[in-house]
């Protein structure tokens, strides 16, 4: 049994050597995650902004629902998507199960409520601050929401990064709908789980280091954007 130091040294070696399997897994992980986050933002940003900026019947219920969906269990999402995409499901004819597209769908379902709920809070706070100005200027609903989204752009970028951080670390849902197929649907988190169970700790640890670096970079980006937002507010 190798000790931790030798395993870590081999893992770092794999990273700096640009191991082909390692690069392929990282590339697929980023492709799936970024695709899911972009789709989640296209849905969640306008949805959250509409709920945060406007008053309508059932708004409280929608807010509660969005906040509740932030805690969706990944394995439940994976199971629901699996059933929908399986041959017996309504989307079975599309033959999407065990493909990267299925993984994007699962991650999108997980990330969209997070983006929408956080956007709602940001826009609602901003709308409270600007509501009197909007009324005095006679700003219409569309212009109002557009102005709020633009003014909150730095905060909303941190929302998107938070969604990315959630998606890139996902394992439960993607392993159910993706199947963890080598060279097809194997991403960082599922590979770490598989290779650890097989005793291939070097590859698992290498991917763990990469995942940790990505998490640190995302958090650093969030802090940097928040600092930029504060500077812009007082500029």
């Amino acid at each position: 049994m190798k000790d931790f130091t030798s395993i870590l040294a081999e893992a770092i070696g794999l990273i700096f050597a640009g191991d082909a399997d390692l690069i392929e897994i990282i590339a697929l992980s980023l492709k799936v995650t970024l695709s899911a986050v972009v789709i989640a933002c296209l849905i969640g940003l306008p949805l959250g902004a509409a709920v945060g900026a406007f008053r309508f019947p059932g708004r409280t219920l929608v807010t509660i629902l969005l906040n509740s969906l932030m805690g969706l269990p990944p394995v439940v999402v994976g199971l629901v998507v699996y059933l929908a995409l399986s041959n017996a499901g309504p989307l079975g004819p599309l033959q999407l199960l065990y493909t990267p597209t299925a993984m994007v769908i699962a991650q999108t379902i997980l990330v969209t409520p997070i983006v929408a709920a956080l956007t709602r809070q940001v826009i609602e706070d901003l709308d409270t601050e600007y509501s009197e100005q909007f009324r005095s200027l006679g700003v219409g609903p569309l212009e109002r929401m557009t102005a709020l989204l633009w003014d909150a752009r730095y905060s909303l970028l941190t929302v998107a990064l938070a969604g990315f951080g959630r998606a890139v670390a996902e394992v439960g849902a993607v392993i159910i709908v993706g199947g963890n197929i080598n060279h097809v649907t194997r991403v960082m988190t599922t590979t770490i789980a598989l290779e650890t169970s097989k005793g291939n700790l070097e590859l698992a640890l290498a991917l763990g280091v990469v995942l940790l670096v990505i998490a640190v970079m995302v958090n650093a980006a969030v802090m940097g954007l928040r600092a930029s937002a504060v500077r812009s507010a007082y500029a």
Side-chain angles (χ1 to χ4, degrees):
M1 182 72 179
K2 298 178 182 178
D3 59 23
F4 176 77
T5 304
S6 61
I7 294 173
L8 179 61
E10 290 187 34
I12 298 299
L14 286 175
I15 296 172
F16 284 102
D19 181 77
D21 288 340
L22 188 74
I23 298 300
E24 180 185 27
I25 292 166
I26 294 171
L28 180 60
S29 297
L30 294 177
K31 179 182 177 181
V32 169
T33 298
L34 289 172
S35 298
V37 171
V38 168
I39 297 171
C41 286
L42 290 175
I43 299 170
L45 289 177
L47 174 61
V51 176
F54 306 125
R55 304 295 181 268
F56 53 86
R59 180 176 179 271
T60 301
L61 180 61
V62 173
T63 300
I64 293 172
L65 182 62
L66 287 177
N67 289 336
S68 299
L69 291 176
M70 289 178 69
L72 272 174
V75 290
V76 174
V77 172
L79 177 59
V80 171
V81 175
Y82 177 91
L83 293 173
L85 298 181
S86 65
N87 290 332
L91 301 179
L94 298 177
Q95 297 294 302
L96 295 177
L97 193 61
Y98 301 138
T99 67
T101 301
M103 298 159 70
V104 171
I105 293 171
Q107 286 195 355
T108 300
I109 293 173
L110 284 169
V111 174
T112 299
I114 296 173
V115 172
L118 295 178
T119 299
R120 180 206 63 80
Q121 186 62 60
V122 169
I123 296 300
E124 183 175 339
D125 292 343
L126 201 59
D127 183 62
T128 301
E129 182 181 347
Y130 290 165
S131 58
E132 290 186 9
Q133 290 177 285
F134 286 146
R135 281 196 295 268
S136 64
L137 295 172
V139 177
L142 183 59
E143 292 82 1
R144 177 183 179 183
M145 195 166 74
T146 303
L148 289 170
L149 284 169
W150 174 253
D151 201 63
R153 60 191 182 278
Y154 289 110
S155 296
L156 296 179
L157 281 174
T158 66
V159 169
L161 288 172
F164 176 85
R166 173 67 182 85
V168 78
E170 173 51 35
V171 59
V174 296
I175 202 169
I176 292 174
V177 301
N180 201 21
I181 303 170
N182 195 24
H183 303 301
V184 180
T185 59
R186 191 161 291 177
V187 293
M188 286 189 286
T189 50
T190 60
T191 304
I192 290 171
L194 175 65
E195 297 301 328
T196 300
S197 67
K198 290 166 55 179
N200 187 5
L201 301 179
E202 295 81 9
L203 179 57
L205 186 55
L207 288 168
V209 170
V210 172
L211 198 57
L212 181 61
V213 169
I214 291 173
V216 171
M217 291 173 63
V218 168
N219 279 281
V222 168
M223 292 180 64
L225 287 171
R226 284 177 178 169
S228 297
V230 171
R231 287 196 297 268
S232 297
Y234 290 97

